Amino acid sequence: YVFEAFPANNNHSSTKKKKYALKRINCSDQELLQSCRHEAGIHRSLPSNHPNLLELLGLKFEQDFTSASSASSSSLPEEYNVCYMLFPYLRNSLRGEITLRNILLNQDDHRQKQQHDYNNNSLQRTTTTRQPFATVEVIHLFRGILDALLAMHNANISHRDVKLENVLLSLSTYGDHHHYNTARSAARSKYTPILIDYGSAGPLTTPPLTTRHSILNLMEVASTHTTFSYRPPELSDVGNLRASSSCIVDYGKVDVWSLGCVLFGLLHGVSPFEMEFVKDNNNDDGYGYDGKRRSGGREKQQQQQEEDSTNKAATLPPTNTWSKLSPKQKSTLLTPLSNANTRIFHNFIHLTKRLSLLTTRERLRLLDYIVERVYLLVCIPETSRIARNIVMSQGRKGMDNEAVDDFKGLVCFRYTLDEDDMYQTFDQWDELAAEPTISISSSSSITNDSSSSPPSLSSSKPIAVGRDIITSACLLRASAALRTKIRSRGGDEVYEWERWLRQELWLQNQLLAKKQQQQDNNSKSTTDPLQPWQGKDFFANKIQPASIVLHKFRTRQWDEFTFLSKDVNKKMTKMERSAVIARFDFLRDVIMGVTSAKEAEIVVLDILLRAEEEAMSNGGGSGLDRYLEKFLPLVESWTLWMALTRPSPMQRHARVFSLLDAMDDVDSVGAGIFADDDEMENVKAAMDEYEFGASAGGKRLAAAILKRMSTHLMLEEKKGIPDGGDVSVDFILPSKFAKGSEWEKQWPEEEERVEWMNRIGNLALVSSRPRSRTAKKKGADSSWEQKCVNFKKEPWLLTRQLIELDGWDAAAVQDQQKDILSLTDLVWSFGTKE
């Protein structure tokens, strides 16, 4: 608010008394209060009594009791919420003077046209040489603005928003507006330009833009504190800047660019970049960007169109050109465009047609409104299909905003307090969501302590696991924390994720409150209060570690786990380490290959995080042994139960949550996690009857089972295990063979062949090697002798044992089936009830 203020001892009726401008600012929040202090500090840093700088005569902060409700909601620590600034009273601005002179010039031109019969050419020469100020006036005014900026730059301050509107004219030595034609030369020394509005001012030099946060901050500063038509190129296209130590914005040059626009405005009445938007050669009222009547108007334009037919399309607005095309021509033009671009083109034609109906002044008003008041311009299509097409045209997956993006916004912005922490967490999330290009170093520190730093690499390269891994990690960890089933459909999972976030924040802040209380009781001296748990801590200690561990698990990076490191867990022998890796490898193959076992990944990820925490905090010990020796075998057995018996999702989640509850119970292994005799028999029966070879999922499950059995036997014999990798199964009895072959002689009954064809006893574990079509076709119908030659090359013990058989008939398959079932009790143990 700006008021006219008089000294207390002045007689208000006297017109000779001096007036003042009182600026009243309601500080509804901390940001506005800081802005007022910043502006006042700029005034104090500038030289006093400078003829071209606005002087701050008084400053006061106080409490306005009439707006107590707003003050209470602002949560300001100070006792005041209103700022008063007292300035000299300056009534006229440079922009207002230019507008007034343009109006008078137009009126003068109109009178000359009525009194004299000028032709179009002579009138054009007369009006185009007229300008708001004479050259001597322009020099004097521009020199005053230069002196003001020079004083600011000498104080190491840049204005950053120099424009015609921010220059006032001192009325103490200012002449009458209506007599400027006769006294222009004599009055040039009476004009005193005053540069105002220091709210956007700042230091001349700023640190380099080395982070994305600094670039985003610059983008916000440019849009908030600078005017579009006076903004230099380096601030107009901030989004394309690349963060580096050499990316520096020189705000002194920013002021110089704005000065050039002001000089152009002194000569022509408008900024050069405002002119680009205002020019309209097809305007109905015939006025130009400076409000003056163009000679000839529409008549001259029509004459030019008749003289030069080749430029006809260029002189017409786009809507007219489009409207004059035939339907066939329109169809030819739109054929190369995609559906999304076609929709965008039609929207452009519609908006251009609407804009063509506006006059120049109406377009100016619309442009000023958009530049000054519109923060974000959103196109809302008429149907959802258009919106989806626009998203598809942006190079993404053709999907709407995913739930993980909404959750990212909650964690980084809504539940993080400090703005710098917001953007830092945002950048860390983006680094984590990038496509993984490097393996994760085993030196990554993963812990749930709020004071710990997020996992990091020994190298300078960022950790990247991918967007899908983060989504899966959030689903798994939220399900484990809330003990509930979360569906990843329709984006509703973000509500469950937020509930998980709020629960973790509440629990951690409760712990911090107790720790703070103990610290206050034990410490006699005053200590800094502990910072509350926020979204940034939740990301660093929950989302990021879970995502990294899940990425290691799914990509078989066993050497990257801390609890498997020889340097950290020195008690673990080489054979014990191989046994643990074999169990996790089996879990990984089953979970990623069989749909009915995917819920097991909830408890597997929980075990991995607990094991990493134990290894980092205690270097192993009883806690780690408890997870790896007691719970890991149980999780492995129940995962096999899920894959073979295919229980309902409710039963699978109930079993997983029972395992999680048991792990939380430190004193005992827990109840409800052991299988009874019937359940163990059900697993064997399901394995015996399961037709593994009939489906791709069944083959993957058979490969995981046979691989796990082979590694178990090899570990018992203290043999080395082959490096982890993808494996597959091969039919010993081929699914198809030629008539009259040895297979037909050994398997004459078709029913018997069908019965045993897809059983696990007829499947041999083989390493996945790329083979040509000819080799695949030949292998499908190869003889028993040829298969034995191939099996002998395999590293897996169960496969190599097949070569000891003389042939492969029904009896051999049945014996192999029994041997595999008998190994089930040795490899997987459901434990015994305590």
Side-chain angles (χ1 to χ4, degrees):
Y1 302 96
V2 178
F3 304 93
E4 293 183 5
F6 295 83
N9 57 352
N10 280 0
N11 183 5
H12 294 189
S13 61
S14 176
T15 57
K16 296 183 180 179
K17 300 301 179 181
K18 196 172 183 179
K19 296 180 181 181
Y20 299 90
L22 183 63
K23 184 178 181 181
R24 182 180 186 271
I25 305 173
N26 292 328
C27 302
S28 58
D29 54 26
Q30 189 71 32
E31 185 177 355
L32 282 175
L33 181 64
Q34 188 65 26
S35 176
C36 294
R37 289 175 171 172
H38 170 76
E39 185 174 354
I42 294 295
H43 278 281
R44 293 192 183 100
S45 302
L46 296 175
S48 58
N49 299 324
H50 193 282
N52 302 113
L53 292 176
L54 185 65
E55 183 180 2
L56 178 63
L57 302 177
L59 173 68
K60 184 178 181 182
F61 294 93
E62 69 176 21
Q63 175 71 41
D64 184 5
F65 296 99
T66 61
S67 58
S69 60
S70 62
S72 61
S73 63
S74 62
S75 301
L76 293 177
E78 289 78 6
E79 297 180 354
Y80 42 77
N81 64 339
V82 178
C83 174
Y84 293 98
M85 295 184 181
L86 188 66
F87 299 101
Y89 180 70
L90 302 172
R91 187 177 66 179
N92 283 41
S93 67
L94 185 57
R95 166 67 80 180
E97 182 67 17
I98 290 175
T99 303
L100 176 61
R101 293 190 173 211
N102 280 334
I103 294 175
L104 295 176
L105 284 173
N106 293 333
Q107 292 176 352
D108 196 10
D109 290 342
H110 185 65
R111 288 194 298 269
Q112 291 180 20
K113 185 176 181 180
Q114 289 180 340
Q115 295 174 3
H116 305 280
D117 187 18
Y118 291 124
N119 57 38
N120 289 338
N121 293 332
S122 63
L123 181 60
Q124 183 182 15
R125 287 193 298 270
T126 302
T127 56
T128 53
T129 56
R130 301 286 291 274
Q131 57 189 38
F133 294 100
T135 303
V136 289
E137 289 180 298
V138 170
I139 294 175
H140 176 73
L141 292 173
F142 190 65
R143 176 175 291 178
I145 301 172
L146 277 176
D147 290 341
L149 269 182
L150 181 61
M152 296 186 71
H153 287 189
N154 289 336
N156 197 28
I157 297 174
S158 63
H159 189 281
R160 303 188 183 184
D161 195 21
V162 180
K163 56 183 178 180
L164 296 175
E165 290 81 355
N166 284 341
V167 178
L168 297 182
L169 300 174
S170 175
L171 294 180
S172 59
T173 57
Y174 195 71
D176 191 352
H177 297 293
H178 300 286
H179 302 287
Y180 71 91
N181 282 323
T182 58
R184 175 174 295 175
S185 299
R188 62 178 180 272
S189 60
K190 298 181 181 180
Y191 296 160
T192 306
I194 308 294
L195 187 62
I196 66 169
D197 192 4
Y198 306 148
S200 302
L204 276 176
T205 58
T206 57
L209 305 176
T210 57
T211 63
R212 180 180 176 183
H213 166 58
S214 59
I215 292 179
L216 293 175
N217 187 42
L218 175 64
M219 186 182 301
E220 182 179 357
V221 170
S223 61
T224 306
H225 297 293
T226 63
T227 303
F228 177 76
S229 52
Y230 295 83
R231 189 181 304 163
E234 59 266 30
L235 296 183
S236 300
D237 197 14
V238 180
N240 291 330
L241 293 178
R242 291 184 177 272
S244 65
S245 58
S246 61
C247 185
I248 302 175
V249 177
D250 188 344
Y251 283 101
K253 296 180 179 179
V254 170
D255 287 345
V256 172
W257 177 280
S258 302
L259 270 176
C261 298
V262 169
L263 179 59
F264 189 96
L266 288 172
L267 294 172
H268 300 281
V270 70
S271 166
F273 302 100
E274 288 177 333
M275 183 186 68
E276 293 296 328
F277 291 103
V278 179
K279 280 185 177 180
D280 182 20
N281 293 331
N282 195 34
N283 188 27
D284 292 340
D285 57 12
Y287 282 89
Y289 63 90
D290 54 359
K292 297 183 289 187
R293 184 77 181 181
R294 288 197 184 95
S295 62
R298 186 182 299 172
E299 295 79 9
K300 182 181 178 181
Q301 188 181 53
Q302 293 176 352
Q303 180 181 1
Q304 183 179 1
Q305 293 174 7
E306 294 173 357
E307 295 175 352
D308 190 1
S309 59
T310 59
N311 294 331
K312 184 176 181 181
T315 55
L316 288 173
T319 51
N320 291 344
T321 305
W322 171 258
S323 61
K324 291 187 177 182
L325 294 177
S326 65
K328 184 176 181 180
Q329 291 174 326
K330 293 181 180 179
S331 177
T332 304
L333 179 63
L334 297 178
T335 298
L337 300 179
S338 63
N339 292 333
N341 289 335
T342 301
R343 297 277 186 158
I344 294 174
F345 180 76
H346 282 301
N347 288 339
F348 170 77
I349 293 297
H350 174 73
L351 292 175
T352 308
K353 184 177 180 181
R354 293 290 302 274
L355 289 174
S356 65
L357 301 177
L358 301 178
T359 64
T360 300
R361 298 187 182 277
E362 288 173 337
R363 296 183 197 180
L364 267 178
R365 291 174 57 188
L366 176 62
L367 179 64
D368 289 339
Y369 184 87
I370 292 176
V371 171
E372 300 293 339
R373 301 188 181 184
V374 178
Y375 180 74
L376 178 65
L377 189 61
V378 181
C379 174
I380 304 178
E382 54 185 280
T383 64
S384 59
R385 174 177 291 183
I386 300 177
R388 185 173 181 83
N389 288 338
I390 293 176
V391 174
M392 291 179 65
S393 65
Q394 302 305 311
R396 284 193 57 200
K397 298 180 180 179
M399 301 176 64
D400 295 332
N401 199 46
E402 297 180 8
V404 70
D405 300 312
D406 297 332
F407 190 50
K408 174 183 177 182
L410 292 175
V411 173
C412 298
F413 297 104
R414 179 178 295 183
Y415 290 94
T416 300
L417 302 180
D418 185 72
E419 185 175 359
D420 292 336
D421 293 336
M422 293 179 184
Y423 289 103
Q424 183 179 6
T425 308
F426 187 87
D427 292 338
Q428 292 174 354
W429 190 304
D430 281 347
E431 291 176 356
L432 189 68
E435 290 299 323
T437 55
I438 56 175
S439 62
I440 300 172
S441 173
S442 58
S443 62
S444 302
S445 59
I446 301 176
T447 176
N448 289 332
D449 185 9
S450 61
S451 62
S452 64
S453 60
S456 59
L457 288 175
S458 57
S459 64
S460 59
K461 295 182 179 180
I463 299 173
V465 300
R467 177 192 183 91
D468 294 336
I469 291 290
I470 298 178
T471 303
S472 299
C474 291
L475 283 171
L476 297 172
R477 297 307 294 154
S479 298
L482 302 176
R483 298 293 199 270
T484 185
K485 177 183 178 181
I486 301 178
R487 295 181 178 272
S488 58
R489 295 179 180 177
D492 292 339
E493 61 266 29
V494 71
Y495 301 111
E496 298 295 335
W497 289 347
E498 185 177 9
R499 190 158 67 95
W500 167 44
L501 167 61
R502 293 171 66 89
Q503 174 180 295
E504 292 293 339
L505 294 182
W506 184 85
L507 291 174
Q508 294 296 333
N509 285 322
Q510 288 292 318
L511 296 175
L512 285 176
K514 294 180 181 179
K515 187 176 180 180
Q516 180 70 52
Q517 186 176 3
Q518 295 176 356
Q519 180 176 317
D520 295 340
N521 295 335
N522 299 332
S523 178
K524 296 181 181 180
S525 60
T526 304
T527 58
D528 295 333
L530 299 176
Q531 294 298 321
W533 239 62
Q534 307 173 38
K536 65 183 182 70
D537 304 302
F538 178 81
F539 170 77
N541 296 279
K542 297 296 179 181
I543 297 178
Q544 192 173 27
S547 301
I548 294 174
V549 168
L550 183 61
H551 174 68
K552 294 178 185 178
F553 172 71
R554 290 187 176 181
T555 54
R556 289 195 178 100
Q557 298 185 37
W558 311 121
D559 293 336
E560 306 292 344
F561 283 100
T562 305
F563 70 92
L564 293 175
S565 173
K566 299 177 182 178
D567 298 332
V568 177
N569 192 359
K570 299 180 180 179
K571 297 180 181 180
M572 182 179 290
T573 64
K574 182 178 180 181
M575 300 304 295
E576 289 174 344
R577 181 178 180 275
S578 299
V580 172
I581 291 177
R583 294 186 186 277
F584 279 118
D585 199 53
F586 169 76
L587 289 169
R588 184 260 179 198
D589 292 339
V590 175
I591 289 172
M592 299 191 67
V594 183
T595 305
S596 60
K598 62 181 181 180
E599 287 81 3
E601 198 170 25
I602 298 174
V603 67
V604 171
L605 180 58
D606 196 82
I607 286 182
L608 289 171
L609 288 170
R610 290 170 186 259
E612 287 288 85
E613 182 182 359
E614 284 290 334
M616 291 299 299
S617 58
N618 302 322
S622 59
L624 182 59
D625 295 338
R626 179 172 178 265
Y627 296 129
L628 298 182
E629 296 178 6
K630 292 184 178 180
F631 284 102
L632 182 58
L634 285 173
V635 172
E636 188 183 13
S637 301
W638 283 117
T639 303
L640 179 65
W641 169 77
M642 295 179 191
L644 291 175
T645 61
R646 287 173 283 191
S648 65
M650 183 179 296
Q651 292 174 320
R652 300 197 296 264
H653 277 90
R655 189 65 62 184
V656 166
F657 297 150
S658 297
L659 289 167
L660 292 174
D661 292 338
M663 283 192 289
D664 290 338
D665 188 0
V666 181
D667 297 331
S668 63
V669 177
I673 61 173
F674 301 104
D676 52 29
D677 296 336
D678 293 337
E679 288 176 321
M680 296 174 67
E681 291 299 325
N682 290 338
V683 172
K684 290 183 181 180
M687 185 181 295
D688 187 24
E689 299 174 359
Y690 201 110
E691 294 188 352
F692 293 90
S695 63
K699 293 177 182 178
R700 290 192 294 266
L701 178 57
I705 292 173
L706 294 175
K707 179 182 177 182
R708 179 68 182 94
M709 289 180 174
S710 293
T711 55
H712 178 81
L713 295 175
M714 297 170 74
L715 287 173
E716 281 192 341
E717 297 180 5
K718 297 183 179 181
K719 295 181 179 180
I721 300 177
D723 294 336
D726 292 331
V727 294
S728 60
V729 291
D730 185 21
F731 288 98
I732 303 176
L733 170 64
S735 57
K736 295 180 181 180
F737 48 80
K739 292 183 179 181
S741 63
E742 291 293 331
W743 293 114
E744 188 178 23
K745 295 178 182 179
Q746 294 180 3
W747 295 84
E749 299 294 334
E750 184 177 358
E751 294 181 1
E752 194 174 34
R753 292 200 305 266
V754 173
E755 179 183 358
W756 292 100
M757 179 72 65
N758 296 316
R759 300 291 183 87
I760 194 171
N762 188 53
L763 300 176
L765 181 67
V766 294
S767 300
S768 295
R769 303 190 188 96
R771 297 190 297 173
S772 62
R773 292 185 177 181
T774 305
K776 290 182 179 180
K777 185 176 180 181
K778 183 178 179 181
D781 194 20
S782 60
S783 63
W784 166 250
E785 290 75 12
Q786 181 62 41
K787 285 185 176 292
C788 289
V789 173
N790 296 333
F791 293 159
K792 190 176 182 179
K793 301 177 183 179
E794 294 295 334
W796 310 106
L797 186 59
L798 278 180
T799 305
R800 292 203 307 266
Q801 289 177 352
L802 294 174
I803 63 178
E804 300 175 0
L805 302 176
D806 297 331
W808 193 255
D809 53 12
V813 175
Q814 294 175 14
D815 292 340
Q816 180 72 3
Q817 184 85 359
K818 292 177 182 178
D819 292 342
I820 291 176
L821 293 178
S822 63
L823 283 173
T824 305
D825 293 332
L826 298 176
V827 179
W828 294 284
S829 174
F830 287 91
T832 57
K833 297 181 181 179
E834 296 179 351

